[in-house]
Amino acid sequence: MPNANFGSVDRMNDSTLLQASDIRMAFPKPDGGELLVLDGINLELREREIVGVLGRSGSGKSTLLRLIAGLAAPTAGHVSYLGERVVGPARGIAMVFQSFAIFPWLTVFQNVALGLEAQGLPRPEIRQRSLAAIDMIGLDGFESAYPRELSGGMRQRVGFARALVVHPNIMLMDEPFSALDVLTAETLRTDFLDLWAEGRMPIRSVVLVTHNIEEAVLMCDRIVVFGSNPGRILAEIKVTLTQPRNRLDPGFRELVERIYVEMTARPAGAVPSRGGVGLSTVLPRTSSNLLAGLLETVAAAPFNGSADLPKIAHDLQMEIDDLFPVAETLQMMRFAEVGGGDIRLTEAGVAFANAGVDERKRIFARHLLTHVALAAHIRRVLDERASHVARKSRFVDELEDFMSEEAAEQTLSAVVTLGRYAEVFAYDDDRATFSLENPV
Amino acid sequence: MWVPVGVWVGMRPGVAQIVQPVAQFLAAFPANLLFPVAVFGIVTFSLRPDIWLSPLMILGTQWYILFNVIAGASLMPSELRNAAQNFQVGGWLWWRRVALPAVLPYYVTGAITASGGSWNASIVAELASWGDMRVEAHGLGAYIADATAAGDFHGIVLGVATMSVFVVVINRLFWRPLYYYAERKFRLG
């Protein structure tokens, strides 16, 4: 990664298509502070490569894509495309959206032709190029269909054709396969890689935003691993495996493992060194079933208390956005240690997994009140009050000193889940109040 | 006329937050309150009632359309808007391919609501009187009003029945098909 970025526009070499320099993105918070979404991002996109931007949801990776596309402007730093600063949507950068974003009132043909119409090309050329793109992407015969008549996979093909038809230098893909079922997604990935390998697509480079580690390793030449809060680059990994890649290939597995290590390295190093979790920590959304389930799985054979995260993810068919929050919560409550791409149960974790229902709740309650400051705080407030009732809004206000409104809501709903399971307090959603009385 | 304004407002959440309640308030505002002013204007300037009473009907209807269009524009998914931006769809093409189809179902909903109100208003508006000032247009509303004033029971029944048949026929032959078309073709998802 280039660190010195002064005069980067002039210093770009010939094969550089796009460069993001010292990008910082912050949104103002209602209380006057600011929410930092991206910080210190440097990214270079060169000729003939697929670059993956890999990170969990909320790591700002989609925001980065919007900045590159010129759909938003960074708070600081800049993006330059072919040596010129990006100040708005640029011709030559086309985007494929997670939700397809094709117009429901236009036919497949009209959707694909839209970008060319916008360029004011003559009708015959629009027609010929649109049909060629439709043909290439495998939508032949569906030209006059409306999106509502198509399956998700076919809709996303329209999304691809619409991007390809304008012959962009750079294609930006925002989790293009994540709204599709597993089989459809794999078919689309393979088709895309085939076209890319054959050099049939009129594009020079691709940026793929994804939270799917295997997808990144399968498709990309280079993977930029993003960390959260604020979004920043943790590592940049070159993928030299030859295409087509095989998910079962040892080299492939090794790389997946390495990315897990990168992604678990920091939070793991940070949390256990401090005593428990303070009020300022955003709690991940999770469920008590998942927590107990993961503890049981890791405790049982063949893992016997220590497991490889990629292996667990694969066995349980969980993506990192599902798995990491659970693992983090377990770590926060000292039921497990996460690091180096592994999860290891602590003594308490093992005890929990082996205990019966009542004993589990006792262990869980003890750990919750000891290690999660917010849970202890709520409990203390309830204990102190004669009525043993407290409004949720008061805790939201307290949390908002440390985090955004959205994060505060998420944190409270997470602590409600944990507190209910542990039976350390009750929560009435209709009245938005915490209380000590446990509903029978 | 209100469509571009509604779209413009709806695409800007900040503006929509302020304008939307105002439009809703004005929609609830009875057009009758402006009748005295209108009648006074028509009499003073000796204008033709057949033409100049129409603004009164339109007045009551515009707000429904406006706030429906604002709602439609603000409900448009941001990814669709981004897609249009990304492919640099602008100008007339943007209106034709993106904005107008997106708000059409909402426009029709607004127009149907408005036509109901407008129909009533039109009956009243055909004969606007304020004190001893009286302007009259030619039509069903004036006919009913005259019949009522004259105590012509058969005339009232005939007038009201004709009015009801009109409403049903217009609904069946015009609004229903239009609504169905807009609903089917332009609703998202």
Side-chain angles (χ1 to χ4, degrees), chain B residues 161-175:
Chain B
T162 313
M163 186 172 83
S164 310
V165 170
F166 262 135
V167 171
V168 172
V169 168
I170 290 173
N171 253 328
R172 285 281 157 180
L173 295 184
F174 184 66
W175 291 117

Side-chain angles (χ1 to χ4, degrees), chain B:
Chain B
M1 161 172 79
W2 287 111
V3 174
V5 178
V7 169
W8 188 87
V9 170
M11 298 266 170
R12 288 160 185 76
V15 183
Q17 244 175 6
I18 300 163
V19 175
Q20 188 71 310
V22 175
Q24 277 169 348
F25 172 74
L26 289 175
F29 210 88
N32 307 35
L33 288 186
L34 282 172
F35 276 21
V37 182
V39 170
F40 182 77
I42 289 169
V43 170
T44 310
F45 299 102
S46 327
L47 302 166
R48 277 194 56 179
D50 274 347
I51 297 171
W52 289 94
L53 282 175
S54 308
L56 284 186
M57 303 179 206
I58 295 166
L59 195 77
T61 71
Q62 291 309 306
W63 307 111
Y64 286 106
I65 294 176
L66 178 63
F67 78 68
N68 269 290
V69 169
I70 293 177
S74 58
L75 283 174
M76 186 170 170
S78 58
E79 282 210 334
L80 278 187
R81 268 188 269 166
N82 284 337
Q85 276 176 282
N86 181 239
F87 293 99
Q88 295 175 300
V89 181
W92 175 229
L93 185 69
W94 183 80
W95 285 103
R96 214 157 36 113
R97 292 275 200 253
V98 182
L100 295 180
V103 300
L104 186 71
Y106 299 91
Y107 177 84
V108 173
T109 306
I112 291 174
T113 319
S115 83
S118 175
W119 184 255
N120 291 339
S122 74
I123 306 299
V124 186
E126 276 176 4
L127 192 147
S129 51
W130 177 249
D132 48 2
M133 277 190 264
R134 178 185 161 95
V135 282
E136 188 175 340
H138 303 282
L140 195 55
Y143 177 79
I144 296 174
D146 282 339
T148 312
D152 176 0
F153 185 70
H154 297 289
I156 299 175
V157 171
L158 182 67
V160 172
T162 313
M163 186 172 83
S164 310
V165 170
F166 262 135
V167 171
V168 172
V169 168
I170 290 173
N171 253 328
R172 285 281 157 180
L173 295 184
F174 184 66
W175 291 117
R176 283 266 190 126
L178 184 62
Y179 187 72
Y180 182 70
Y181 170 79
E183 188 62 20
R184 195 175 134 70
K185 182 148 185 215
F186 298 108
R187 272 283 186 230
L188 301 168

Side-chain angles (χ1 to χ4, degrees), chain A residues 379-408:
Chain A
R379 176 68 193 220
R380 194 163 51 243
V381 170
L382 292 175
D383 280 338
E384 280 167 6
R385 293 192 176 180
S387 61
H388 300 311
V389 173
R391 297 193 61 79
K392 173 191 176 190
S393 53
R394 96 156 254 173
F395 299 111
V396 175
D397 289 346
E398 281 177 282
L399 290 181
E400 278 178 21
D401 291 343
F402 309 104
M403 57 185 80
S404 71
E405 194 183 337
E406 202 182 336

Side-chain angles (χ1 to χ4, degrees), chain A residues 83-139:
Chain A
E84 284 188 38
R85 212 177 164 120
V86 173
V87 287
R91 187 179 286 195
I93 302 182
M95 192 143 163
V96 177
F97 295 84
Q98 179 175 16
S99 66
F100 321 139
I102 53 178
F103 298 97
W105 45 82
L106 302 180
T107 62
V108 168
F109 179 85
Q110 290 171 324
N111 263 295
V112 173
L114 190 61
L116 297 179
E117 282 187 281
Q119 295 183 6
L121 297 179
R123 292 227 146 261
E125 189 180 348
I126 293 180
R127 191 178 157 73
Q128 180 253 321
R129 270 171 66 175
S130 302
L131 291 178
I134 286 172
D135 188 26
M136 178 193 295
I137 217 73
L139 282 165

Side-chain angles (χ1 to χ4, degrees), chain A residues 190-264:
Chain A
T190 318
D191 287 358
F192 181 83
L193 285 174
D194 286 346
L195 289 172
W196 174 256
E198 292 163 13
R200 286 177 57 201
M201 286 187 292
I203 49 179
R204 285 155 76 181
S205 284
V206 177
V207 180
L208 169 71
V209 161
T210 179
H211 64 259
N212 184 321
I213 296 178
E214 295 205 0
E215 176 177 293
V217 176
L218 191 74
M219 299 188 67
C220 301
D221 300 303
R222 198 150 56 89
I223 300 172
V224 179
V225 182
F226 261 56
S228 312
N229 296 322
R232 64 205 186 282
I233 296 175
L234 294 179
E236 203 176 312
I237 296 166
K238 257 195 127 41
V239 187
T240 50
L241 303 167
T242 50
Q243 290 281 12
R245 293 170 187 160
N246 179 353
R247 287 171 192 262
L248 300 175
D249 179 66
F252 190 104
R253 302 310 324 166
E254 202 177 290
L255 208 54
V256 170
E257 169 79 32
R258 198 179 135 202
I259 294 174
Y260 267 97
V261 173
E262 296 287 355
M263 294 188 83
T264 53

Side-chain angles (χ1 to χ4, degrees), chain A residues 318-354:
Chain A
M318 288 171 93
E319 293 206 18
I320 52 174
D321 272 348
D322 312 320
L323 181 61
F324 278 26
V326 184
E328 273 170 12
T329 308
L330 290 180
Q331 160 152 305
M332 211 179 285
M333 295 181 67
R334 304 293 177 77
F335 286 126
E337 297 268 342
V338 181
D342 293 335
I343 176 166
R344 281 173 306 279
L345 297 196
T346 59
E347 268 175 49
V350 176
F352 178 94
N354 294 330

